[in-house]
Amino acid sequence: MDQNLLNDICLQQLTLSAVHEGETISVLTRGDERAGYANAFMWAAQKLGASTFHMRLPSPASASGAWAVGESGLGTNPVAVDALKQSDMLVDLTFLLFSKEQFAIQDAGTRILTTVEPAPLLARLMPTRELRERVETGAELLAKAGSMRITSPHGTDVTYRLGVYPTISEYGYTDQPGRWDHWPAAFVFTGGADDGVDGTIVLAPGDVLLPFNTYVQTPVTITIEQGFIRDIRGGLDADLLASYIKSFDDPRGYGMSHVGWGLDERAHWHGLTQFGGGMGMELRSFYGNVMFSIGPNNELGGPNDTPCHFDIPMRGCSLYLDDELIVDAGELTVPQMRPAGRR
Ligand code: FE
């Protein structure tokens, strides 16, 4: 993307994130990645009267090729962590999520915005205050629920016992101290109790396996008991999923992670065909998807910090909170969660 356009969308972003005079905005990168993004965020921060600096970490010493979350590159660098803690807002261009260091920086009151997706996607899914309100409506409903049940025409019927872990909203910008968000995003999630997820999930053709960044082609039947996957059955997709989890040699890789639904009608289900190089935020956000996840729940304050993590957005599911229908075969039932033209 042209640097002027990138500057412009980063200015829109930092304006939504309430960056102002007197604040210090830190920008974190690794190796040679996203230098243009760093320049654009620093330009925008200055434009809004804030101070800013760019912290550049060395490239990872080894790359396993797997998407192992939680390795921030800051674990042995307390001086760097301290500097980031002292900034008002950190623009994370490295994906710190799930690392101890991210949580420590948030605990210090620094708000964090992660930005790693392709620039054209950042522009197309620019956050809005209206979308934030709709996401927050969803988060309020989810936060007071005691249980979640997900069903699908393909045979999914799974129940999560809720109430143990907090509800998290992602709407693509952040203006509150200590709050993390990811640009772009529009979804809500929480996690089931550690031993409180039971039932069957059947992945259908077109459901999305992140981080494989592929669409499921053949049904995958996943059996879950007391919060852990006990069986994965099906064709090639099932074999790939099972083989990948097994490769971590970690029983906690079979745990059930976050669960929730997406709200952005501008996000395309077919997004992987355009932005296969990204992390799949468009797929996590598309309107009416129900996303469940496998692996760690430390993001929610839970004990599971396995590096093995899947996010799996599914189409056409229904989702109930305490027996109240919230997502009806991929359509949101609550008017305040729908876009203005669809109420
Ligand atoms: Fe996830």
Side-chain angles (χ1 to χ4, degrees):
M1 179 180 281
D2 174 77
Q3 191 67 35
N4 288 324
L5 287 174
L6 194 55
N7 287 352
D8 183 56
I9 61 171
C10 289
L11 182 58
Q12 289 179 53
Q13 164 60 242
L14 292 191
T15 302
L16 281 167
S17 290
V19 169
H20 59 270
E21 207 176 319
E23 286 199 312
T24 299
I25 310 305
S26 55
V27 180
L28 182 70
T29 66
R30 278 178 104 167
D32 294 327
E33 287 180 347
R34 302 188 183 91
Y37 286 32
N39 290 336
F41 275 111
M42 287 195 291
W43 177 86
Q46 288 181 291
K47 198 84 181 161
L48 294 168
S51 299
T52 184
F53 66 91
H54 178 188
M55 178 183 289
R56 180 176 161 220
L57 297 172
S59 302
S62 71
S64 65
W67 185 50
V69 295
E71 290 291 324
S72 70
L74 286 170
T76 54
N77 210 336
V79 175
V81 175
D82 272 345
L84 298 175
K85 281 181 180 173
Q86 288 174 45
S87 63
D88 298 287
M89 177 173 177
L90 163 61
V91 177
D92 165 31
L93 304 179
T94 72
F95 200 75
L96 290 176
L97 188 60
F98 298 105
S99 67
K100 290 186 185 74
E101 295 73 37
Q102 164 156 343
F103 301 132
I105 293 164
Q106 285 179 257
D107 286 345
T110 303
R111 63 193 191 276
I112 302 180
L113 181 78
T114 297
T115 308
V116 294
E117 289 282 8
L121 188 64
L122 301 179
R124 184 156 62 73
L125 300 183
M126 177 60 68
T128 69
R129 293 187 175 89
E130 182 253 348
L131 187 57
R132 172 186 183 167
E133 283 175 21
R134 289 165 48 204
V135 169
E136 288 181 332
T137 297
E140 281 168 29
L141 289 170
L142 184 53
K144 63 185 187 196
S147 74
M148 177 191 292
R149 180 174 171 224
I150 301 167
T151 64
S152 81
H154 301 276
T156 295
D157 193 343
V158 64
T159 301
Y160 287 70
R161 194 170 80 241
L162 305 182
V164 176
Y165 293 114
T167 292
I168 310 274
S169 59
E170 291 189 29
Y171 45 80
Y173 67 97
T174 188
D175 61 8
Q176 295 159 354
R179 184 179 176 278
W180 169 79
D181 211 316
H182 194 165
W183 177 25
F187 53 91
V188 296
F189 61 91
T190 185
D194 291 346
D195 61 350
V197 187
D198 291 274
T200 303
I201 294 176
V202 183
L203 305 183
D207 293 345
V208 185
L209 293 172
L210 304 170
F212 286 176
N213 287 7
T214 57
Y215 294 100
V216 170
Q217 308 282 330
T218 52
V220 179
T221 302
I222 301 170
T223 307
I224 302 138
E225 290 171 7
Q226 298 190 331
F228 283 86
I229 293 171
R230 306 296 179 185
D231 190 52
I232 300 174
R233 227 162 263 252
L236 176 62
D237 292 302
D239 289 349
L240 287 168
L241 180 63
S243 175
Y244 181 85
I245 298 174
K246 191 166 180 247
S247 74
F248 283 81
D249 194 23
D250 181 353
R252 302 169 310 155
Y254 295 90
M256 294 300 283
S257 181
H258 55 90
V259 64
W261 66 90
L263 294 97
D264 194 344
E265 70 287 355
R266 303 169 305 173
H268 299 312
W269 160 70
H270 66 261
L272 281 182
T273 61
Q274 285 172 287
F275 295 116
M279 283 202 54
M281 292 306 287
E282 178 161 33
L283 283 302
R284 290 174 175 84
S285 301
F286 76 83
Y287 182 84
N289 90 75
V290 170
M291 180 168 74
F292 85 101
S293 310
I294 299 169
N297 65 2
N298 60 327
E299 176 190 18
L300 293 162
N304 189 342
D305 64 352
T306 179
C308 178
H309 186 40
F310 271 93
D311 282 351
I312 305 181
M314 302 182 292
R315 293 188 301 166
C317 289
S318 294
L319 183 151
Y320 302 80
L321 294 177
D322 296 332
D323 301 323
E324 185 189 344
L325 185 61
I326 300 295
V327 183
D328 183 3
E331 179 63 61
L332 303 181
T333 63
V334 178
Q336 293 82 5
M337 289 200 294
R338 293 183 180 173
R342 281 161 83 165
R343 288 182 185 170

